[in-house]
Amino acid sequence: DAGITQSPRHKVTETGTPVTLRCHQTENHRYMYWYRQDPGHGLRLIHYSYGVKDTDKGEVSDGYSVSRSKTEDFLLTLESATSSQTSVYFCAISEWDRGNGYTFGSGTRLTVV
Amino acid sequence: GENVEQHPSTLSVQEGDSAVIKCTYSDSASNYFPWYKQELGKRPQLIIDIRSNVGEKKDQRIAVTLNKTAKHFSLHITETQPEDSAVYFCAATGGKLTFGQGTILTVHP
């Protein structure tokens, strides 16, 4: 497909449990991003990466951590899931950090009960 | 950081009518303004974009206009069709994308 896959596609988890979402790309792009999508808020940036082991916070990073040990994988971890983290999570990749050329994954729908 | 406001939040039109969605941005350093279309259950996909050195861009039935002085940009869809029904997002950036809140467009046959 678009060279970017997210897993799992759907997940239901209990409050207080750790959760890890995976983004995998085959495009060898340098930049990777995690967004969350909520009604009325559009897409909000959680964390991003500009290279292996190089990551930084976005506008809604509290409660989330990320890791990038390989170019192709960008992991998003909710250390202790809360109901406010129920959302659809999108990963995006880009060859440049100028805003253009974003390709989004298919999304992960996470429900915290 | 950048802040993007998008209006309206919902828009309902009859097939064949035009639809206009408007966005404002706060950071005068932003120089790239894409528009994304997201169908139900799908990923956002780029439909058109414009850079700050251009005032207008058109691609078949869709066009985008940019007013740098006023810091606003708009998406225009002409001759709307039912398959145009989706959520549309504007975004602005000089680096990482900041998105508007989205507009749910419904085109009635």
Side-chain angles (χ1 to χ4, degrees), chain A residues 3-113:
Chain A
I4 175 173
T5 56
Q6 291 184 232
S7 58
R9 292 296 311 277
H10 303 272
K11 186 171 181 65
V12 179
T13 192
E14 293 186 348
T15 299
T17 60
V19 178
T20 296
L21 309 182
R22 182 183 184 229
C23 178
H24 178 78
Q25 62 147 327
T26 59
E27 304 295 323
N28 200 35
H29 285 345
R30 177 179 177 184
Y31 299 94
M32 299 185 75
Y33 311 85
W34 277 108
Y35 284 86
R36 61 176 289 174
Q37 182 176 25
D38 305 287
H41 292 278
L43 292 137
R44 293 179 292 174
L45 183 63
I46 305 171
H47 281 280
Y48 64 98
S49 170
Y50 43 95
V52 174
K53 298 186 179 179
D54 290 324
T55 65
D56 206 347
K57 297 178 180 181
E59 63 178 304
V60 290
S61 60
D62 287 348
Y64 302 94
S65 63
V66 291
S67 66
R68 191 166 178 203
S69 58
K70 299 184 291 184
T71 298
E72 57 266 35
D73 289 325
F74 193 31
L75 304 180
L76 177 70
T77 297
L78 291 66
E79 300 291 347
S80 177
T82 67
S83 58
S84 64
Q85 294 175 312
T86 292
S87 186
V88 179
Y89 292 85
F90 284 97
C91 176
I93 61 173
S94 176
E95 191 171 0
W96 310 280
D97 191 32
R98 297 195 297 271
N100 58 327
Y102 273 45
T103 300
F104 283 89
S106 298
T108 294
R109 181 173 296 276
L110 177 68
T111 304
V112 183
V113 298

Side-chain angles (χ1 to χ4, degrees), chain B residues 52-67:
Chain B
S52 58
N53 59 347
V54 176
E56 183 174 357
K57 184 177 179 180
K58 188 173 182 179
D59 183 5
Q60 298 183 338
R61 294 186 299 108
I62 61 173
V64 58
T65 58
L66 171 65
N67 183 327

